[in-house]
Amino acid sequence: MTSATVRVPAKINLCLGVGPVRDDGFHPLATVYQALDLHDEIRASLDETGTLSVVTHATEEERADVPEGMDNLALQAAALLREETGVEAGAEVAIRKVIPVAGGLAGGSADAAATLVACNEIWGTGLSRHDLEPLAAELGSDVPFLLHGGNAIGGGRGETVSPVLARGSYHWVLAVAEQGLSTASVYAEFDRLTEGREVADPEISDTLLGALRSGDAELLGLALSNDLTEAALSLRPELQSTLNLGREAEALGAIISGSGPTCLFLAQDEEHSLDIAIALAGAGACADVVQARGPVPGVRFV
Ligand code: ATP
């Protein structure tokens, strides 16, 4: 096996409860993840000279935002796996980018999860998904979830994941902003806004879990929540009008995805999802409008 190709989904947070900053600088999270059928594709090819390299296939604009070399999370994943397993071979990692960059959809984390799986294959290191989890957690809070996908509860700083019993397939519309938003700056704004306020330990709402268990899209729409909303809107006030547009189009729920700036709308069905997409695109409220379904599995071989 000299090369392996995998696909990896984007993630959204159906709820994102954020607690007070911890001593290590991270915030405790209580979240429910869902993986969406918006996939990056990663091809890892064996490099016998021992070099690790990355090449990104995307629009010119997006490529400018995806780091080259070791700043790319995919290469950090390859380097970590190599360090842990003592492999000497290298890899060329080719990324076909579909997940919007810095959009609150964990695109970089997705590429890291995908690279762990693809390099594990070409290097014959034989680790199970379970064995890859601690490496994934070291790479980033969202990375372990993307190994598995589906619906899952995330605790700790997001890295401890447990699957959620759920039924149903959900129709989402994503309003992708022209410019990404740095996750670190949104958390810094959250800290600034909550300074002097009592920030409760985050919890997951029973209503949301009940909605997933019964596959009730209307109830799920009402239960969507994101504690980073105020911070993201403080940095990007214009997102409020995007959220309002989706609500006017009768979305079952409208929230900011993760740390933003992507706005997320839950639709009743395919037709309604198209209505919302048309309303958003017609108003010119965002750079791109994407329809997606969830949940879908995590990293998969192509
Ligand atoms: P987070 O996972 O922190 O919520 P996000 O989903 O908002 O982040 P990403 O698409 O992961 O955003 O990009 C965040 C930053 O990570 C980018 O601005 C970029 O500098 C860096 N990055 C590193 N590797 C990658 C990669 N493979 N794809 C995209 N961005 C990457």
Side-chain angles (χ1 to χ4, degrees), residues 20 30 36 47 60 72 92-93 99 104 110 116 133 151 158 168 183 186 204 214 219 228 230 252 257 279 288 290:
L36 296 191
D47 183 324
E60 213 163 294
N72 195 301
E92 186 201 66
V93 179
I99 304 172
L116 284 178
E133 276 172 18
N151 295 297
T183 304
V186 177
I204 289 168
S214 56
L219 195 57
L228 293 179
E230 192 188 357
L252 302 178
S257 177
D288 201 7
V290 178

Side-chain angles (χ1 to χ4, degrees), residues 188-260:
E189 185 66 359
F190 174 87
D191 291 340
R192 194 184 70 78
L193 291 169
T194 53
E195 207 180 339
R197 280 193 221 162
E198 179 96 13
V199 180
D201 286 334
E203 280 177 15
I204 289 168
S205 98
D206 288 339
T207 315
L208 186 129
L209 294 177
L212 285 174
R213 266 196 305 272
S214 56
D216 184 334
E218 272 184 40
L219 195 57
L220 181 65
L222 293 173
L224 297 175
S225 68
N226 184 350
D227 283 355
L228 293 179
T229 305
E230 192 188 357
L233 288 178
S234 166
L235 297 176
R236 290 287 174 81
E238 68 275 17
L239 295 178
Q240 186 63 63
S241 53
T242 309
L243 290 172
N244 291 346
L245 277 167
R247 291 187 180 123
E248 281 159 27
E250 294 178 21
L252 302 178
I255 51 164
I256 285 172
S257 177
S259 53

Side-chain angles (χ1 to χ4, degrees), residues 11 13 40 42 54 56 62 64-76 95 97 99-112 115 141-143 146 180-184 187 257-262:
K11 68 86 204 176
N13 304 85
D40 278 357
I42 272 68
V54 64
T56 304
E62 276 177 339
D65 294 334
V66 178
E68 290 173 3
M70 289 315 294
D71 284 340
N72 195 301
L73 266 176
L75 271 205
Q76 289 172 26
I95 305 175
K97 202 85 204 138
I99 304 172
V101 179
L105 299 164
S109 304
D111 297 347
T115 304
S141 304
D142 297 334
V143 185
L146 292 157
L181 196 48
S182 126
T183 304
Y187 276 101
S257 177
S259 53
T262 304

Side-chain angles (χ1 to χ4, degrees), residues 1 3-4 6 81 115-126 301:
M1 173 82 60
S3 75
V6 296
L81 179 65
T115 304
L116 284 178
V117 173
C119 286
N120 184 44
E121 184 73 13
I122 58 165
W123 291 338
T125 32
F301 286 97

Side-chain angles (χ1 to χ4, degrees), residues 24-129:
D24 64 1
F26 285 103
H27 294 77
L29 302 183
T31 188
V32 176
Y33 293 109
Q34 184 170 100
L36 296 191
D37 68 344
L38 183 66
H39 292 94
D40 278 357
E41 196 171 286
I42 272 68
R43 181 180 171 87
S45 308
L46 194 62
D47 183 324
E48 301 281 11
T49 69
T51 308
L52 294 177
S53 59
V54 64
V55 46
T56 304
H57 302 283
T59 62
E60 213 163 294
E61 264 168 61
E62 276 177 339
R63 232 181 18 238
D65 294 334
V66 178
E68 290 173 3
M70 289 315 294
D71 284 340
N72 195 301
L73 266 176
L75 271 205
Q76 289 172 26
L80 182 62
L81 179 65
R82 196 158 74 157
E83 196 182 299
E84 289 293 318
T85 56
V87 163
E88 286 180 1
E92 186 201 66
V93 179
I95 305 175
R96 197 170 65 80
K97 202 85 204 138
V98 171
I99 304 172
V101 179
L105 299 164
S109 304
D111 297 347
T115 304
L116 284 178
V117 173
C119 286
N120 184 44
E121 184 73 13
I122 58 165
W123 291 338
T125 32
L127 301 189
S128 66
R129 294 280 163 123

